[in-house]
Amino acid sequence: MAGRISDEDIALVRERSPIADIVGEHIQLRNAGGGNLKGLCPFHEEKSPSFNVTPTRGYWYCFGCAEGGDVITFVRRLEHLSFGEAVERLANRAGVQLRYEQGGYVPGREQGERIRLIEAHRAAAEFYVSKLSAPDAAIGRRFLSERGFERVDAERFGVGYAPAEWEALSRHLMGRGFTSAELIKGGLAKEGRRGPIDRFRGRLVWPIRDITGDVIGFGARKLNDAEDGPKYLNTPESPLYKKSEVLYGVDLAKREISKRSQAVIVEGYTDVMACHLSGVPTAVATCGTAFGEEHIKVLRRLLLDQSGSHGEVVFTFDGDAAGQKAALRAFADEQKFVTQTFVAVQADGLDPCDLRVRQGEAAVRDLIAGREPLFAFAIRSVISRYDVSTNEGRLSALDAAAPIVAGIKDRSLRQLYAVDLDRWLGFNNERFVLDRITEVSAAAQPRAQRPAGPRKVADLTDPGVRTEAEVLRLAVQRPALLGPGFEALGEEAFTLPEHAALYRLIVGSGGTATAGQGGREWVDLLLGGAEDALRGVVTRFAVEELRADLANEERYASAMLAALELVSVARAIERLKSRMQRTNPVDEQQEYNRLFGELVALEQQRRVLKDRAAGS
């Protein structure tokens, strides 16, 4: 059994793993003011960014899905790891050697399964690269050369060669301390009669990396057409490799995708290489599967795909019928992007790799520059199947294209494409075309899924609730500014259950008077004492931006305390007046006078608090 990782090492891993850097490897972050960063949440679908990162405190929180935590929590959620595996993954990245409290540190033995498989794939990639220069790899080098790739290009993309032997890689990795079970589980080998046998043999091999740059699988191209097996063979599904989520080249393209707000989707490994070498460094490719929803999620996070964004996704397809069919499949996913989507198809059917070989790198850049909106391409592709020189052909083309136009969610854009459709078909009767599209849209309406209702949330427009929240933010982020005045409020000052629970946690953790300047240690203390349901609330209040003017923080905090007290006093006054209305001033004169005295005192307190609260 692996021992428990020492607390000192866990703290060191956190310290050497800046949360903005780790999160920034997966999503594009932008300045949100107040020292916060913001991006699209990697854990749920959203159109506007609600995922916040506070680098100074080392925490993240999503206001959309109400999830949050530190850098370790982020890696756990994203990679589906245990706590120990997440710490080990970050430690490996940061160069921290972990110590284990039961039995000490034994290299390799205590590492989690994922870390072991990552190391095995890294060693495999190095092995394949080393074999590309061997004499029997001449066929692989020739394959690359014929496609315009030099040795330096192969090195840049980590291209290697799998020897045409049954156990070359397996022997090498087992000699490095990896077990046959690990090789089989990772998809590097298969079970043979006498032990593991290599999955890839006699093939050119491309390492497939995740967004952080770790090798998680391979794509292998057959070099001898006479041999059995498919032309391309990929790593099977494994704990590391999920083909529906993987984009080849995303590790190399991610920064340029974010920087240029553009992603180019190509069909193969050599196409990715050709695009990057030709000055299109935003190219990625799927790995043995069609472009789908999980790929969209990856790109949306990198593009910061949201309303008002000016990004674009460009699909490249072969110009043949199969390519047009692939483009129409992509159309079905088009409206899952907020950014514009385009199609770039070479008229002579050349893919980016062949285009670079025959016409040069400028031609690849021109291909992408000449992209066509995907809606237009989809409509034109349907029209091309019909003879539009006849009335019958034009009408059939209209009926075939109408569902595409009717499916455009943006009403204005739908209207514009209806006008284009009329022009392309030569009816010269926009009203007729629009009516036909409307009929198609209406016929499809009953089958449409009703959108889910909005998630119920607390009414944060209520001034009292907003004041409660701001005081709690101060208590979590700047406790010294509140001092003992926070404890004096009492739990009854907080009306929302989660606010009252957080108040109890803060007081139970020593209160703001003993928390000093707060910071990471204070937040960690609160998280350590919080029940699971409250941990997300703590993280949210640690990340949310304060409305305070940094130059007048003390006065602001005092004013917010007074404002919250003022709300409590106002409620007490209303309750007291209600009691006085139910008290007979003649028959219950003594009780009435007592209540009146309390009312006078509360009104006086309210005037004082109003003056203090005005300081905000």
Side-chain angles (χ1 to χ4, degrees):
M1 286 290 291
R4 180 178 179 274
I5 303 171
S6 72
D7 291 339
E8 292 83 357
D9 286 353
I10 293 173
L12 183 60
V13 167
R14 282 198 184 100
E15 180 185 327
R16 294 188 181 177
S17 304
I19 193 164
D21 293 349
I22 302 299
V23 174
E25 291 180 349
H26 300 273
I27 65 175
Q28 184 182 2
L29 295 172
R30 291 181 180 171
N31 194 329
N36 281 7
L37 302 171
K38 182 177 286 189
L40 290 173
C41 181
F43 305 124
H44 82 286
E45 282 293 300
E46 59 179 6
K47 293 186 180 295
S48 299
S50 59
F51 187 91
N52 284 251
V53 175
T54 305
T56 56
R57 285 184 289 278
Y59 284 97
W60 61 272
Y61 187 83
C62 176
F63 293 94
C65 61
E67 295 283 348
D70 63 4
V71 67
I72 297 173
T73 310
F74 179 80
V75 173
R76 287 187 68 183
R77 283 291 315 277
L78 195 73
E79 305 288 354
H80 307 290
L81 305 176
S82 68
F83 178 85
E85 288 173 335
V87 173
E88 289 167 346
R89 183 166 175 78
L90 288 168
N92 188 57
R93 181 186 185 279
V96 175
Q97 180 170 297
L98 298 175
R99 294 165 295 171
Y100 295 78
E101 293 183 347
Q102 297 174 10
Y105 175 72
V106 180
R109 191 182 71 192
E110 292 87 359
Q111 294 173 307
E113 177 186 81
R114 181 183 175 88
I115 304 300
R116 289 285 295 168
L117 295 182
I118 288 287
E119 289 186 351
H121 279 74
R122 183 186 302 118
E126 293 170 354
F127 173 81
Y128 289 140
V129 167
S130 71
K131 295 300 180 181
L132 186 59
S133 57
D136 61 339
I139 187 174
R141 296 193 296 272
R142 185 164 61 251
F143 176 95
L144 293 171
S145 178
E146 289 172 352
R147 285 154 182 79
F149 301 122
E150 301 177 0
R151 184 61 184 267
V152 67
D153 302 326
E155 291 174 354
R156 174 178 171 181
F157 290 90
V159 184
Y161 176 75
E165 303 174 30
W166 288 101
E167 303 166 354
L169 177 67
S170 297
R171 284 197 308 270
H172 174 76
L173 293 181
M174 291 175 73
R176 296 276 298 270
F178 296 100
T179 67
S180 60
E182 287 173 332
L183 303 189
I184 293 169
K185 192 161 193 174
L188 296 168
K190 298 183 291 185
E191 189 70 68
R193 292 181 180 178
R194 301 177 183 177
I197 58 174
D198 296 352
R199 180 170 296 276
F200 308 116
R201 300 185 302 276
R203 289 174 176 261
L204 206 58
V205 179
W206 282 263
I208 299 171
R209 296 183 171 90
D210 66 13
I211 200 167
T212 68
D214 285 333
V215 179
I216 57 174
F218 295 92
R221 211 281 189 186
K222 183 168 65 173
L223 297 171
N224 186 343
D225 291 336
E227 292 183 4
D228 293 334
K231 180 189 288 188
Y232 281 96
L233 182 64
N234 282 22
T235 293
E237 294 280 311
S238 76
L240 297 183
Y241 184 81
K242 304 288 188 293
K243 64 182 180 181
S244 64
E245 303 173 5
V246 175
L247 287 168
Y248 174 72
V250 72
D251 58 308
L252 300 174
K254 61 185 178 184
R255 298 199 184 280
E256 288 298 323
I257 289 174
S258 295
K259 179 179 168 184
R260 303 186 184 204
S261 293
Q262 181 200 66
V264 175
I265 316 300
V266 298
E267 293 195 312
Y269 308 124
T270 56
D271 291 332
V272 170
M273 294 175 68
C275 283
H276 282 249
L277 295 171
S278 299
V280 184
T282 58
V284 295
T286 59
C287 301
T289 186
F291 186 81
E293 190 145 349
E294 295 303 316
H295 301 122
I296 291 172
K297 291 178 182 178
V298 173
L299 291 181
R300 289 197 68 233
R301 293 195 295 269
L302 292 175
L303 290 164
L304 195 59
D305 187 32
Q306 59 176 303
S307 298
S309 62
H310 301 290
E312 59 183 44
V313 176
V314 182
F315 294 91
T316 65
F317 299 104
D318 292 342
D320 57 14
Q324 290 193 2
K325 187 176 180 181
L328 292 175
R329 280 200 308 269
F331 171 81
D333 288 324
E334 196 278 346
Q335 292 175 98
K336 293 176 182 175
F337 288 105
V338 178
T339 54
Q340 290 181 281
T341 48
F342 297 84
V343 172
V345 177
Q346 183 68 13
D348 51 17
L350 296 177
D351 60 32
C353 180
D354 291 336
L355 183 62
R356 176 174 176 264
V357 171
R358 298 188 190 183
Q359 299 182 29
E361 294 179 349
V364 177
R365 295 193 296 271
D366 290 343
L367 169 65
I368 305 304
R371 61 203 179 280
E372 179 182 14
L374 183 54
F375 283 133
F377 180 84
I379 296 168
R380 286 179 181 274
S381 295
V382 169
I383 292 174
S384 67
R385 303 172 190 166
Y386 299 90
D387 179 6
V388 295
S389 65
T390 67
N391 290 331
E392 292 80 3
R394 287 204 301 273
L395 189 59
S396 295
L398 172 58
D399 287 345
I404 297 177
V405 181
I408 300 175
K409 294 178 181 178
D410 186 309
R411 183 177 178 182
S412 298
L413 195 59
R414 186 167 65 242
Q415 189 117 352
L416 289 173
Y417 274 110
V419 172
D420 283 341
L421 180 57
D422 173 56
R423 178 165 50 85
W424 292 334
L425 291 175
F427 281 110
N428 295 319
N429 189 339
E430 293 176 7
R431 186 71 265 161
F432 170 72
V433 172
L434 283 166
D435 288 345
R436 196 81 170 188
I437 291 170
T438 301
E439 289 174 16
V440 172
S441 182
Q445 193 64 35
R447 296 192 296 271
Q449 293 290 324
R450 181 171 297 180
R455 185 168 62 91
K456 292 183 179 180
V457 295
D459 182 12
L460 297 180
T461 62
D462 179 89
V465 173
R466 291 174 63 185
T467 302
E468 292 176 26
E470 186 70 356
V471 169
L472 289 169
R473 276 191 288 269
L474 285 164
V476 173
Q477 298 181 30
R478 305 278 199 280
L481 296 176
L482 298 178
F486 179 79
E487 284 75 13
L489 287 170
E491 184 181 331
E492 62 276 3
F494 298 90
T495 57
L496 289 186
E498 69 175 32
H499 288 178
L502 181 54
Y503 175 82
R504 290 194 300 270
L505 174 64
I506 293 170
V507 173
S509 300
T512 53
T514 62
Q517 296 301 316
R520 170 128 205 176
E521 292 182 2
W522 171 237
V523 175
D524 286 345
L525 179 64
L526 294 177
L527 286 170
E531 297 180 357
D532 290 344
L534 193 57
R535 291 177 65 84
V537 179
V538 174
T539 307
R540 171 159 57 90
F541 279 94
V543 169
E544 284 180 329
E545 184 179 355
L546 288 168
R547 301 198 302 267
D549 179 354
L550 294 178
N552 298 294
E553 278 190 334
E554 291 186 12
R555 188 173 67 181
Y556 177 79
S558 175
M560 291 309 300
L561 272 177
L564 187 53
E565 287 185 72
L566 186 58
V567 172
S568 297
V569 168
R571 293 181 187 134
I573 288 174
E574 291 304 314
R575 289 195 298 271
L576 195 57
K577 285 182 176 180
S578 177
R579 285 182 60 188
M580 289 178 69
Q581 287 177 347
R582 299 193 303 271
T583 304
N584 190 313
V586 176
D587 297 338
E588 303 173 88
Q589 184 177 7
Q590 186 174 357
E591 176 64 11
Y592 187 86
N593 289 340
R594 187 185 68 79
L595 294 175
F596 184 77
E598 288 184 17
L599 179 61
V600 171
L602 285 173
E603 290 287 6
Q604 175 63 27
Q605 186 180 359
R606 178 156 68 173
R607 284 193 291 273
V608 173
L609 290 171
K610 275 186 175 180
D611 291 339
R612 280 175 50 198
S616 61

